[in-house]
Structures are given as C-alpha cells and as structure tokens.
Amino acid sequence: MTQLLELVTALATSCGDRRSAARDLAHALGGGDLLVLLRDAEVGAFLPAPGFPQTLMGARRWRQLADECLVGGEAVADRMRATSDDAPRPVFAIASSDELILAIIGVGTRPRGTEEVVRLLPLLGCVLRGERAIEHATARERVARQSAAHAERLAAAFDDSRVRLERALATAEESRRIVAEANLQLQDQAAEMEAQTEELASQAEQLHRMNVELGQARDAAAAASEAKSEFLATMSHELRTPLNAISGHVQLIELGIYGPVTEEQRAALERINRSQRHLLGLINDILNLAKIEAGRVEYRIENVSVTELLDDIAPMIEPQIRARSLEYRVVLPERDLVVRADKEKVEQILLNLLSNAAKFTPPGGSIEVGVAVREDRPDLAFIRVTDTGIGIAEDKLASIFEPFVQVKSGHTRPAEGTGLGLAISRDLAIGMGGDLRVRSTLGAGSCFTLLLPSARSATHGVSPLDSAVRTGEPG
Ligand code: ADP
C-alpha cells in the first residue's frame, strides 16, 4: 500500500521519471501498463496527459469509453470490460466532471488495495491540471510575445511604410510642382517660338521682297550704266567732229589763208589751240572710259619690245620734260625685255604716267623709267616711272585710281587734267593681264609700277596676275 502511495505521489509531484513511475504503479496494481488521460475542456475530449506513457494497447477504445463515462458522470470501472481474456482491461477508472480527470489503469486483473490510490488521484489531477494550466499560460504567453513581436514588427514596418509613403508623396508633390513649372515654361517657350517663327516668316518675306527689289534695282542700274556708256560714247564721238573742225580752221587762219595774222591774233589762236587740245584730250579720255566700262575695248596682244616702246615714247614726252627743266633717265636691263601686250595701250599708259610725273614734279627734279624682271616672278615685267615730285598722301593713294579724282595739293592750284588718266591706265593694264600700282611719299616723290605679262609666260597662256601679285608689293 505504502509503495502504491509513493508511486502515485511520484506521479503527482512531477519530479523524477513519470514514465517509470507509471509503469511501476501499473505493475504494483497487477497490470501491464498505465494510461493517464486528461480531459481537455477546450477540445471537449480526453487526451493523453503529457509526460505519461501512451503505449497501452487499445488506448483509443479506452478514450471513447472515458468520454462516455464522463457524459454519465460516474465511475465506470465495471462498464469497461475487456473484449477478450488476454486483452488488457480497465481495472480502475475515475471520471469526474469537476476534476476533469480520468485515470485509467489498464491491468489484467482487478487490483487490490487501491483505496489510497483513489484518494490520491484528485491530487494527481490537480497537479496535472496545474501543469496543464502553466503549459497553456506559457503557450499563451509565448503566442502573446510572438504576437507582440509580430505586432511590433508590423508597426515598425507600417511606420517605415508610412515614412516612405510620406516621402513618396512629398517627392510626387515636388515632381508635380516641377512638372507644372516646366509646363508653364514650355508654354511660354512655345508662345515665344511661335512669335519668333512668325517674325522669321515675316523677315523671310521681307527679304524675299528686298531680293526682288534688289534684282530689279541691279537690272535697272546695269541698264542705266549701259545707257550712260552708250550716251558718253555717242556724245564723245559727236563732240570730236566739231572740235577737229575748229582745230582745222585755226590752223588755216594761222597759215594766213584768210589774210595776214597779227601777233596778238596768233597768241589768241595759240590759246584756242591749247584749249581745243585739252578739250579733245578730255573727250578722248571719256570715250576711253566709256568703252572700258561697256567692255568694248579690244586688245591687240602681241610681243612688244620694251626698249623699242620707250624709244618711241621719248620724243613725245620730251617737250614737257624740257619745259619743266627736268632730268629724264631710262634704265634698261642688259637683255631686252619683251612683253605680251597691246602696244598702243601700253604707250597710252606710259605717256599718262610720264606726263603726270612731269606735271607733279617741280622744275629741277628728275624722272626715271626703270625696267626689271624679278627672279621670283619671271612671268612678269615691271616698268617703273619714278619721280622726285610732290608725292601723294598715304590716305589718298587708293582713291587716285578712281575716275575723276584729283588730289588737292594744298597751297598750289589744282593741276591741269581730268582725273581720268590713272583710272583708264589701270583698267587697260588689267585688261592686258597686268596691273598698275603706286608707292609714294608726300613731298618726296612717287613711283608708279606697270606690271605686264612677259612674253615667255604669256606663251603658256597663263594670266600672271590671276593669283599672287595683285595683293603684294608693287616691286
Ligand atoms: P589727272 O592727272 O588728269 O588729274 P590722273 O588720273 O592721271 O588724272 O591722276 C589723278 C590724280 O593723281 C592727279 O590729279 C594727282 O592728284 C595724282 N597724281 C597722279 N600722278 C601723280 C604723281 N606722279 N605725283 C603726284 N600726284 C600724282
């Protein structure tokens, strides 16, 4: 009996090995094994109590019986009969709806002296229930802790999401503001571009109109220029005829055809002659210029010996040189230079240059004509007319080649002339594939250089001044 009590106490106190205690109790009661079931109020059925051996044969069947007993609310030991003799059968069972405990001890035979065990079973029930409650509480606490942790994590995640959402909202708002601003700017730009396009279109239209007008003006100017050249050519021709007649009549009077001529009359006739020559020169110049401008000048290009040319000119210029008491020098190269040019036109140019030199060089001065070729430009001949005259101011040098330009020389009265000579000379030089250039120092003298294609280069059909020399030093 004492042993039984000890075993039940051992089961109830939960210290030590419950399994072996349960087995020993079963043996002490004369059975083979022990099954302890605990009624689970939540589930509403008897379940094996934790920590006890659950291997008793037919445990399921006994659980059903226990359920039935509980419904009946009475001890059911006698109702649990073994289905066969050798099968284990319940020898003791307690079912109580208050204790919620059922202990069934499966043994082969009815045990003896179990009263104390019966007495102690409620104690076992209390312990088990307490354990069960602790277990539940622990499980609940664990679940609660887990839930709290989960809730905390959820809260943190929620917080994080909220912050991110807020940020996203702020970013979206900022983006919306930027987009709205950009939209406004784009609208402004579009309006501006539209205005610019309109302005461009109107400018294009204006340009087109101006182009048309310019074209018309250019055509009109060309037509006017042609008409002017035509008019000048006709007028010059018409004027020369009566002038030549005047000259003829003067000569007849001078010869005494119409009776004796007094000295006074002769002097007057000489003055008429001079004026007539001047007028004729002027008309010839205008005619020349008109022809050049109208592109009607014809050039008879041939090989021209520069030495011969200068020999021919010398007597023509001599009276002027002598009248001004000037020194005249010609410096020729050892080998005669031959140029490809229109001889008459070269003569006309050189006579103009020499006559200017004589005109603008005070008495006692000198004029020199030099002829040279330069090693770097063997295709050109350089004919220079240099004087020690009044010179030309630097800022006037470009304009003296313009038609009708005469440089005012300060205190001296305007020189005789038309201001056409240099314009014509340079046009003629260019027309022959050459050029006319000037260097001068005011008060010291001038040097005009006539450039002409030398015969050697011209035979190759090259226009020497098409390229480099036109902008370079006159040489
Ligand atoms: P013109 O001699 O008939 O007036 P040009 O065309 O031959 O016309 O010359 C234009 C001007 O250039 C001259 O009026 C003169 O002022 C200046 N000029 C030309 N040659 C010389 C020279 N050798 N020395 C100084 N001035 C000159």
Side-chain angles (χ1 to χ4, degrees), residues 337-340 372-382 432-434 451-469:
L337 225 113
V338 181
V339 291
R340 291 287 298 168
V373 272
R374 270 181 14 195
E375 268 182 23
D376 58 327
R377 292 305 304 263
D379 51 335
L380 287 171
F382 296 77
M432 289 185 286
L451 290 82
L452 288 172
S454 75
R456 197 160 57 99
S457 74
T459 53
H460 296 301
V462 179
S463 176
L465 284 175
D466 276 353
S467 53
V469 183

mmCIF file of all heavy atoms in Angstrom, residues 337-340 372-382 432-434 451-469:
data_model
loop_
_atom_site.group_PDB
_atom_site.id
_atom_site.type_symbol
_atom_site.label_atom_id
_atom_site.label_comp_id
_atom_site.label_asym_id
_atom_site.label_seq_id
_atom_site.Cartn_x
_atom_site.Cartn_y
_atom_site.Cartn_z
ATOM 1 N N LEU A 337 63.662 93.354 -122.855
ATOM 2 C CA LEU A 337 62.510 92.661 -122.291
ATOM 3 C C LEU A 337 61.349 92.710 -123.271
ATOM 4 O O LEU A 337 61.038 93.770 -123.817
ATOM 5 C CB LEU A 337 62.108 93.378 -121.005
ATOM 6 C CG LEU A 337 61.827 92.446 -119.877
ATOM 7 C CD1 LEU A 337 62.896 92.647 -118.833
ATOM 8 C CD2 LEU A 337 60.469 92.714 -119.315
ATOM 9 N N VAL A 338 60.720 91.588 -123.482
ATOM 10 C CA VAL A 338 59.584 91.545 -124.410
ATOM 11 C C VAL A 338 58.330 91.189 -123.612
ATOM 12 O O VAL A 338 58.339 90.253 -122.835
ATOM 13 C CB VAL A 338 59.821 90.493 -125.515
ATOM 14 C CG1 VAL A 338 58.648 90.464 -126.480
ATOM 15 C CG2 VAL A 338 61.119 90.791 -126.264
ATOM 16 N N VAL A 339 57.288 92.022 -123.829
ATOM 17 C CA VAL A 339 56.036 91.741 -123.111
ATOM 18 C C VAL A 339 54.935 91.382 -124.097
ATOM 19 O O VAL A 339 55.023 91.708 -125.284
ATOM 20 C CB VAL A 339 55.570 92.962 -122.266
ATOM 21 C CG1 VAL A 339 56.504 93.190 -121.113
ATOM 22 C CG2 VAL A 339 55.425 94.206 -123.118
ATOM 23 N N ARG A 340 53.912 90.686 -123.545
ATOM 24 C CA ARG A 340 52.741 90.382 -124.372
ATOM 25 C C ARG A 340 51.708 91.446 -124.041
ATOM 26 O O ARG A 340 51.139 91.473 -122.956
ATOM 27 C CB ARG A 340 52.183 89.004 -123.996
ATOM 28 C CG ARG A 340 53.054 87.844 -124.367
ATOM 29 C CD ARG A 340 53.082 87.557 -125.834
ATOM 30 N NE ARG A 340 51.793 87.186 -126.378
ATOM 31 C CZ ARG A 340 51.520 87.113 -127.668
ATOM 32 N NH1 ARG A 340 52.459 87.439 -128.560
ATOM 33 N NH2 ARG A 340 50.333 86.761 -128.087
ATOM 34 N N ALA A 372 62.489 96.071 -115.208
ATOM 35 C CA ALA A 372 63.126 94.949 -114.494
ATOM 36 C C ALA A 372 62.244 93.711 -114.499
ATOM 37 O O ALA A 372 61.036 93.787 -114.724
ATOM 38 C CB ALA A 372 63.397 95.356 -113.053
ATOM 39 N N VAL A 373 62.895 92.582 -114.297
ATOM 40 C CA VAL A 373 62.146 91.347 -114.002
ATOM 41 C C VAL A 373 62.606 90.895 -112.622
ATOM 42 O O VAL A 373 63.733 91.143 -112.237
ATOM 43 C CB VAL A 373 62.450 90.200 -115.005
ATOM 44 C CG1 VAL A 373 61.554 90.262 -116.192
ATOM 45 C CG2 VAL A 373 63.897 90.171 -115.383
ATOM 46 N N ARG A 374 61.696 90.264 -111.925
ATOM 47 C CA ARG A 374 62.087 89.774 -110.594
ATOM 48 C C ARG A 374 62.263 88.274 -110.662
ATOM 49 O O ARG A 374 61.488 87.576 -111.311
ATOM 50 C CB ARG A 374 60.991 90.123 -109.573
ATOM 51 C CG ARG A 374 61.251 91.451 -108.965
ATOM 52 C CD ARG A 374 60.257 91.876 -107.936
ATOM 53 N NE ARG A 374 59.350 90.873 -107.421
ATOM 54 C CZ ARG A 374 58.258 91.182 -106.728
ATOM 55 N NH1 ARG A 374 57.983 92.448 -106.481
ATOM 56 N NH2 ARG A 374 57.468 90.244 -106.288
ATOM 57 N N GLU A 375 63.277 87.831 -109.933
ATOM 58 C CA GLU A 375 63.584 86.402 -110.013
ATOM 59 C C GLU A 375 62.409 85.539 -109.538
ATOM 60 O O GLU A 375 62.152 84.470 -110.074
ATOM 61 C CB GLU A 375 64.823 86.095 -109.170
ATOM 62 C CG GLU A 375 66.088 86.174 -109.991
ATOM 63 C CD GLU A 375 67.316 85.829 -109.191
ATOM 64 O OE1 GLU A 375 67.180 85.131 -108.171
ATOM 65 O OE2 GLU A 375 68.397 86.272 -109.602
ATOM 66 N N ASP A 376 61.705 86.037 -108.528
ATOM 67 C CA ASP A 376 60.598 85.221 -108.006
ATOM 68 C C ASP A 376 59.367 85.270 -108.896
ATOM 69 O O ASP A 376 58.447 84.483 -108.738
ATOM 70 C CB ASP A 376 60.234 85.674 -106.579
ATOM 71 C CG ASP A 376 59.846 87.137 -106.536
ATOM 72 O OD1 ASP A 376 60.407 87.918 -107.340
ATOM 73 O OD2 ASP A 376 58.987 87.511 -105.719
ATOM 74 N N ARG A 377 59.325 86.278 -109.838
ATOM 75 C CA ARG A 377 58.196 86.341 -110.772
ATOM 76 C C ARG A 377 58.697 86.524 -112.204
ATOM 77 O O ARG A 377 58.509 87.577 -112.815
ATOM 78 C CB ARG A 377 57.253 87.493 -110.427
ATOM 79 C CG ARG A 377 56.481 87.355 -109.146
ATOM 80 C CD ARG A 377 55.683 86.056 -109.091
ATOM 81 N NE ARG A 377 54.767 85.868 -110.199
ATOM 82 C CZ ARG A 377 53.469 86.161 -110.158
ATOM 83 N NH1 ARG A 377 52.955 86.667 -109.063
ATOM 84 N NH2 ARG A 377 52.697 85.918 -111.199
ATOM 85 N N PRO A 378 59.313 85.524 -112.741
ATOM 86 C CA PRO A 378 59.859 85.674 -114.103
ATOM 87 C C PRO A 378 58.760 85.835 -115.146
ATOM 88 O O PRO A 378 59.030 86.195 -116.289
ATOM 89 C CB PRO A 378 60.630 84.368 -114.316
ATOM 90 C CG PRO A 378 60.043 83.404 -113.355
ATOM 91 C CD PRO A 378 59.538 84.187 -112.200
ATOM 92 N N ASP A 379 57.536 85.601 -114.760
ATOM 93 C CA ASP A 379 56.421 85.703 -115.701
ATOM 94 C C ASP A 379 55.945 87.140 -115.888
ATOM 95 O O ASP A 379 55.040 87.393 -116.678
ATOM 96 C CB ASP A 379 55.258 84.847 -115.196
ATOM 97 C CG ASP A 379 54.901 85.149 -113.743
ATOM 98 O OD1 ASP A 379 55.784 85.631 -113.001
ATOM 99 O OD2 ASP A 379 53.743 84.929 -113.362
ATOM 100 N N LEU A 380 56.535 88.079 -115.150
ATOM 101 C CA LEU A 380 56.068 89.470 -115.227
ATOM 102 C C LEU A 380 57.207 90.431 -115.547
ATOM 103 O O LEU A 380 58.351 90.200 -115.167
ATOM 104 C CB LEU A 380 55.468 89.899 -113.874
ATOM 105 C CG LEU A 380 54.110 89.315 -113.510
ATOM 106 C CD1 LEU A 380 53.775 89.668 -112.077
ATOM 107 C CD2 LEU A 380 53.018 89.839 -114.446
ATOM 108 N N ALA A 381 56.826 91.520 -116.229
ATOM 109 C CA ALA A 381 57.798 92.611 -116.438
ATOM 110 C C ALA A 381 57.326 93.785 -115.597
ATOM 111 O O ALA A 381 56.124 94.058 -115.508
ATOM 112 C CB ALA A 381 57.830 92.992 -117.909
ATOM 113 N N PHE A 382 58.259 94.438 -114.925
ATOM 114 C CA PHE A 382 57.950 95.582 -114.055
ATOM 115 C C PHE A 382 58.516 96.843 -114.703
ATOM 116 O O PHE A 382 59.713 96.976 -114.861
ATOM 117 C CB PHE A 382 58.576 95.413 -112.664
ATOM 118 C CG PHE A 382 58.014 94.238 -111.900
ATOM 119 C CD1 PHE A 382 58.417 92.935 -112.197
ATOM 120 C CD2 PHE A 382 57.089 94.426 -110.893
ATOM 121 C CE1 PHE A 382 57.896 91.862 -111.492
ATOM 122 C CE2 PHE A 382 56.566 93.369 -110.186
ATOM 123 C CZ PHE A 382 56.962 92.069 -110.496
ATOM 124 N N MET A 432 44.998 93.779 -119.981
ATOM 125 C CA MET A 432 46.063 93.049 -120.691
ATOM 126 C C MET A 432 46.685 91.954 -119.806
ATOM 127 O O MET A 432 47.723 91.385 -120.137
ATOM 128 C CB MET A 432 47.150 94.036 -121.132
ATOM 129 C CG MET A 432 46.666 94.945 -122.262
ATOM 130 S SD MET A 432 47.954 96.007 -122.902
ATOM 131 C CE MET A 432 48.118 97.216 -121.624
ATOM 132 N N GLY A 433 46.062 91.711 -118.654
ATOM 133 C CA GLY A 433 46.603 90.657 -117.760
ATOM 134 C C GLY A 433 47.661 91.198 -116.821
ATOM 135 O O GLY A 433 48.407 90.423 -116.210
ATOM 136 N N GLY A 434 47.760 92.527 -116.705
ATOM 137 C CA GLY A 434 48.758 93.113 -115.810
ATOM 138 C C GLY A 434 48.096 93.904 -114.710
ATOM 139 O O GLY A 434 46.992 93.594 -114.267
ATOM 140 N N LEU A 451 52.755 96.579 -114.395
ATOM 141 C CA LEU A 451 53.096 95.155 -114.498
ATOM 142 C C LEU A 451 52.450 94.600 -115.759
ATOM 143 O O LEU A 451 51.259 94.814 -115.983
ATOM 144 C CB LEU A 451 52.561 94.383 -113.289
ATOM 145 C CG LEU A 451 53.224 94.634 -111.949
ATOM 146 C CD1 LEU A 451 52.690 95.865 -111.276
ATOM 147 C CD2 LEU A 451 53.025 93.430 -111.042
ATOM 148 N N LEU A 452 53.272 93.899 -116.545
ATOM 149 C CA LEU A 452 52.732 93.287 -117.771
ATOM 150 C C LEU A 452 53.255 91.859 -117.906
ATOM 151 O O LEU A 452 54.369 91.569 -117.447
ATOM 152 C CB LEU A 452 53.170 94.102 -118.987
ATOM 153 C CG LEU A 452 52.496 95.464 -119.168
ATOM 154 C CD1 LEU A 452 53.153 96.246 -120.301
ATOM 155 C CD2 LEU A 452 50.993 95.318 -119.434
ATOM 156 N N PRO A 453 52.477 91.003 -118.555
ATOM 157 C CA PRO A 453 52.959 89.623 -118.726
ATOM 158 C C PRO A 453 54.197 89.612 -119.622
ATOM 159 O O PRO A 453 54.176 90.251 -120.685
ATOM 160 C CB PRO A 453 51.800 88.913 -119.416
ATOM 161 C CG PRO A 453 50.625 89.818 -119.274
ATOM 162 C CD PRO A 453 51.132 91.201 -119.101
ATOM 163 N N SER A 454 55.223 88.946 -119.177
ATOM 164 C CA SER A 454 56.403 88.852 -120.051
ATOM 165 C C SER A 454 56.095 87.818 -121.128
ATOM 166 O O SER A 454 55.259 86.927 -120.929
ATOM 167 C CB SER A 454 57.637 88.479 -119.233
ATOM 168 O OG SER A 454 57.572 87.133 -118.894
ATOM 169 N N ALA A 455 56.774 87.958 -122.285
ATOM 170 C CA ALA A 455 56.430 87.138 -123.460
ATOM 171 C C ALA A 455 56.529 85.648 -123.144
ATOM 172 O O ALA A 455 55.712 84.856 -123.577
ATOM 173 C CB ALA A 455 57.341 87.500 -124.622
ATOM 174 N N ARG A 456 57.521 85.257 -122.325
ATOM 175 C CA ARG A 456 57.748 83.846 -122.045
ATOM 176 C C ARG A 456 56.533 83.210 -121.329
ATOM 177 O O ARG A 456 56.013 82.188 -121.740
ATOM 178 C CB ARG A 456 58.978 83.699 -121.155
ATOM 179 C CG ARG A 456 59.545 82.314 -121.123
ATOM 180 C CD ARG A 456 60.962 82.388 -120.651
ATOM 181 N NE ARG A 456 60.993 83.039 -119.346
ATOM 182 C CZ ARG A 456 61.065 82.369 -118.195
ATOM 183 N NH1 ARG A 456 61.130 81.079 -118.205
ATOM 184 N NH2 ARG A 456 61.097 83.010 -117.050
ATOM 185 N N SER A 457 56.062 83.892 -120.306
ATOM 186 C CA SER A 457 54.951 83.294 -119.553
ATOM 187 C C SER A 457 53.663 83.324 -120.351
ATOM 188 O O SER A 457 52.865 82.401 -120.295
ATOM 189 C CB SER A 457 54.736 84.035 -118.245
ATOM 190 O OG SER A 457 54.127 85.274 -118.508
ATOM 191 N N ALA A 458 53.478 84.417 -121.110
ATOM 192 C CA ALA A 458 52.217 84.560 -121.842
ATOM 193 C C ALA A 458 52.056 83.466 -122.881
ATOM 194 O O ALA A 458 50.947 83.071 -123.192
ATOM 195 C CB ALA A 458 52.158 85.919 -122.517
ATOM 196 N N THR A 459 53.199 82.952 -123.423
ATOM 197 C CA THR A 459 53.065 81.888 -124.430
ATOM 198 C C THR A 459 52.474 80.632 -123.819
ATOM 199 O O THR A 459 51.952 79.786 -124.508
ATOM 200 C CB THR A 459 54.437 81.542 -125.058
ATOM 201 O OG1 THR A 459 55.318 81.273 -123.981
ATOM 202 C CG2 THR A 459 54.972 82.648 -125.919
ATOM 203 N N HIS A 460 52.550 80.540 -122.474
ATOM 204 C CA HIS A 460 51.930 79.364 -121.833
ATOM 205 C C HIS A 460 50.451 79.596 -121.579
ATOM 206 O O HIS A 460 49.776 78.749 -121.038
ATOM 207 C CB HIS A 460 52.621 79.054 -120.506
ATOM 208 C CG HIS A 460 54.053 78.658 -120.691
ATOM 209 N ND1 HIS A 460 54.426 77.597 -121.449
ATOM 210 C CD2 HIS A 460 55.190 79.222 -120.226
ATOM 211 C CE1 HIS A 460 55.747 77.496 -121.446
ATOM 212 N NE2 HIS A 460 56.227 78.489 -120.715
ATOM 213 N N GLY A 461 49.989 80.781 -121.985
ATOM 214 C CA GLY A 461 48.557 81.054 -121.836
ATOM 215 C C GLY A 461 48.134 81.293 -120.390
ATOM 216 O O GLY A 461 46.972 81.135 -120.049
ATOM 217 N N VAL A 462 49.071 81.680 -119.525
ATOM 218 C CA VAL A 462 48.717 81.904 -118.116
ATOM 219 C C VAL A 462 48.517 83.391 -117.886
ATOM 220 O O VAL A 462 49.265 84.209 -118.394
ATOM 221 C CB VAL A 462 49.871 81.407 -117.200
ATOM 222 C CG1 VAL A 462 49.535 81.666 -115.741
ATOM 223 C CG2 VAL A 462 50.122 79.936 -117.455
ATOM 224 N N SER A 463 47.482 83.737 -117.142
ATOM 225 C CA SER A 463 47.323 85.137 -116.767
ATOM 226 C C SER A 463 48.079 85.347 -115.464
ATOM 227 O O SER A 463 47.656 84.871 -114.417
ATOM 228 C CB SER A 463 45.846 85.474 -116.584
ATOM 229 O OG SER A 463 45.737 86.790 -116.150
ATOM 230 N N PRO A 464 49.220 86.012 -115.492
ATOM 231 C CA PRO A 464 50.128 86.034 -114.351
ATOM 232 C C PRO A 464 49.515 86.646 -113.100
ATOM 233 O O PRO A 464 49.888 86.316 -112.011
ATOM 234 C CB PRO A 464 51.302 86.881 -114.820
ATOM 235 C CG PRO A 464 51.103 87.094 -116.266
ATOM 236 C CD PRO A 464 49.691 86.839 -116.589
ATOM 237 N N LEU A 465 48.598 87.586 -113.288
ATOM 238 C CA LEU A 465 48.123 88.261 -112.092
ATOM 239 C C LEU A 465 46.847 87.669 -111.547
ATOM 240 O O LEU A 465 46.204 88.238 -110.691
ATOM 241 C CB LEU A 465 47.939 89.743 -112.379
ATOM 242 C CG LEU A 465 49.272 90.453 -112.417
ATOM 243 C CD1 LEU A 465 49.084 91.881 -112.814
ATOM 244 C CD2 LEU A 465 49.965 90.360 -111.082
ATOM 245 N N ASP A 466 46.526 86.502 -112.069
ATOM 246 C CA ASP A 466 45.316 85.890 -111.538
ATOM 247 C C ASP A 466 45.494 85.504 -110.078
ATOM 248 O O ASP A 466 44.559 85.405 -109.335
ATOM 249 C CB ASP A 466 44.968 84.623 -112.338
ATOM 250 C CG ASP A 466 44.184 85.030 -113.565
ATOM 251 O OD1 ASP A 466 43.850 86.224 -113.646
ATOM 252 O OD2 ASP A 466 43.938 84.176 -114.423
ATOM 253 N N SER A 467 46.774 85.301 -109.708
ATOM 254 C CA SER A 467 46.956 84.783 -108.350
ATOM 255 C C SER A 467 47.606 85.783 -107.398
ATOM 256 O O SER A 467 46.923 86.628 -106.827
ATOM 257 C CB SER A 467 47.785 83.512 -108.417
ATOM 258 O OG SER A 467 48.970 83.782 -109.140
ATOM 259 N N ALA A 468 48.916 85.690 -107.285
ATOM 260 C CA ALA A 468 49.559 86.283 -106.108
ATOM 261 C C ALA A 468 49.836 87.783 -106.146
ATOM 262 O O ALA A 468 49.568 88.481 -105.177
ATOM 263 C CB ALA A 468 50.879 85.562 -105.867
ATOM 264 N N VAL A 469 50.330 88.274 -107.234
ATOM 265 C CA VAL A 469 50.975 89.585 -107.200
ATOM 266 C C VAL A 469 50.019 90.743 -106.946
ATOM 267 O O VAL A 469 50.385 91.737 -106.356
ATOM 268 C CB VAL A 469 51.751 89.809 -108.513
ATOM 269 C CG1 VAL A 469 52.488 91.129 -108.482
ATOM 270 C CG2 VAL A 469 52.709 88.671 -108.705
#
